[in-house]
Amino acid sequence: MKQFFSRADVADGETLLQQARAYRKQPRLDFGLGTGKTLGLVFFNASLRTRLSTQIAARNLDLEVLVMNMNQDGWTIETREGAVMDGGAAEHLKEAAGVLGRYCDVLGLRSFAGLQDAEADRADALFHQFAAYAGKPMLNLESATRHPLQSLADWLTIRDRAPKDRKIKVLLRWAPHVRALPQAVPNSFAEWMLADEQVELHISQPAGFELHPEFSTGAQLHHSPEAELTDADFIYVKNWSATTPYGQIGSDPAWMLTEKQLQGSPAHIMHCLPVRRNVVLADELLDGPRALHLEQAENRIWAAQAALANLLQP
Ligand code: CP
């Protein structure tokens, strides 16, 4: 595998899922795969889970890890081709990525959507430019459009508890927030769920917050906070900013999920974290037996390890 950017980079999802499960059972199963090799983790945005789970995964494969927080510790980066660099940016991405490509055998990059220009975000230019200039296998640590490590961990969490004798009913349900958040997590979640023939995916969001059809085609769309809540096996709660007008915050409190809205349904509740309590999800759900958010976070280790192991294959 040359990159782990989207679901399309995975030839056989079931095999990847089995690999993640094998690492969960025996974390050092492939210790030595990374011996003598270096993983560079490059962050343009904050992270807790992605940063640490990927480092644990790397350690289990005997990879050395370098972490670079570009915005705090690096030079300000210019990305435009042909730019006259007489402003604030001290280094071009060509050099920064080119140097990192010489220091590392595999590179991971986190670069969120800017939420100003939908087409620019959809092009995911920073990830692809960085990959081209670095010339090394690339791990997507959350780009403008996708967060595949989160999605693989979410898929593993769902499959662990899924009914075996019928389709798995999954609801991706929008929630309010106080800030404008990217669409990478819901895009990616939908992409991975729709690739699983065992899943029936529903997406519920207010008007104007529909995900791009590239990600949602094949899902059943709803526009009510109550839709499918009592029928779903898994409810994945997540805020994302508007599609029209692009990047606008959505904060309607009617969409905050509470125990009462579930009306006794046995649905499992999922969230990628970080979560704003009592804005996105009520305390009683996060603190109750339905919640899978910590399991998802733990599964991030095994997802990262499976992805890294594939990137390390010659
Ligand atoms: N879910 C997730 O990616 O968490 P971090 O942003 O903390 O890495």
Side-chain angles (χ1 to χ4, degrees):
M1 193 192 281
K2 287 284 167 241
Q3 63 169 14
F4 186 71
F5 172 72
S6 78
R7 179 62 180 78
D9 295 311
V10 179
D12 181 351
E14 296 293 338
T15 300
L16 190 66
L17 206 59
Q18 288 309 326
Q19 205 173 350
R21 283 203 179 106
Y23 289 140
R24 184 167 61 189
K25 204 167 166 187
Q26 198 180 338
R28 300 223 162 179
L29 180 67
D30 283 333
F31 190 79
L33 198 58
T35 302
K37 297 196 168 162
T38 301
L39 167 68
L41 299 178
V42 181
F43 290 88
F44 281 93
N45 310 95
S47 168
L48 187 158
R49 281 143 291 272
T50 304
R51 177 188 306 265
L52 298 182
S53 61
T54 309
Q55 288 187 65
I56 297 167
R59 197 178 61 196
N60 289 339
L61 297 169
D62 199 27
L63 270 167
E64 292 283 343
V65 183
L66 301 176
V67 180
M68 185 70 200
N69 300 309
M70 293 300 274
N71 289 344
Q72 293 98 313
D73 304 326
W75 302 105
T76 304
I77 299 293
E78 175 62 68
T79 58
R80 292 169 302 159
E81 184 70 33
V84 177
M85 291 176 55
D86 57 358
E91 179 155 45
H92 201 280
L93 188 67
K94 288 186 183 187
E95 279 72 48
V99 169
L100 287 161
R102 288 176 181 232
Y103 292 168
C104 302
D105 299 282
V106 179
L107 281 157
L109 181 70
R110 169 162 283 201
S111 55
F112 286 177
L115 298 179
Q116 303 295 319
D117 178 339
E119 285 313 305
D121 286 344
R122 271 178 43 72
D124 236 322
L126 187 60
F127 185 92
H128 296 302
Q129 284 175 6
F130 191 101
Y133 300 143
K136 289 290 165 71
M138 288 289 299
L139 182 61
N140 183 351
L141 304 175
E142 186 173 341
S143 70
T145 57
R146 291 171 173 87
H147 195 357
L149 290 173
Q150 183 66 53
S151 305
L152 176 55
D154 296 338
W155 189 34
L156 176 59
T157 310
I158 287 173
R159 279 297 203 82
D160 283 346
R161 293 166 179 270
K164 304 282 180 254
D165 52 345
R166 60 173 173 81
K167 282 226 166 195
I168 312 162
K169 192 161 179 178
V170 177
L171 172 64
L172 169 58
R173 186 183 182 277
W174 186 88
H177 208 277
V178 296
R179 297 184 60 193
L181 299 189
Q183 299 175 347
V185 168
N187 282 345
S188 216
F189 182 74
E191 186 171 74
W192 283 69
M193 289 298 103
L194 288 166
D196 183 349
E197 288 179 355
Q198 296 179 36
V199 169
E200 176 186 310
L201 180 66
H202 296 253
I203 308 177
S204 180
Q205 70 282 292
F209 287 78
E210 296 84 357
L211 300 175
H212 192 279
E214 178 184 356
F215 301 101
S216 64
T217 300
Q220 297 177 49
L221 303 187
H222 310 272
H223 289 95
S224 150
E226 291 82 33
E228 303 299 326
L229 281 182
T230 55
D231 279 346
D233 298 304
F234 298 88
I235 304 176
Y236 198 100
V237 180
K238 182 73 183 87
N239 170 266
W240 60 90
S241 54
T243 309
T244 43
Y246 184 65
Q248 183 173 289
I249 297 173
S251 57
D252 180 353
W255 286 79
M256 181 184 86
L257 193 63
T258 64
E259 182 69 47
K260 191 173 168 204
Q261 290 173 345
L262 297 175
Q263 298 177 34
S265 127
H268 296 290
I269 303 300
M270 301 178 71
H271 193 282
C272 61
L273 303 177
V275 64
R276 291 198 181 229
R277 284 174 170 257
N278 304 310
V279 174
V280 174
L281 270 165
D283 273 342
E284 72 265 13
L285 288 175
L286 286 164
D287 296 334
R290 303 169 175 281
L292 298 181
H293 56 302
L294 298 183
E295 231 167 89
Q296 292 169 256
E298 185 178 336
N299 282 332
R300 290 291 306 272
I301 299 169
W302 321 119
Q305 196 166 332
L308 282 172
N310 281 281
L311 289 171
L312 284 166
Q313 296 297 343

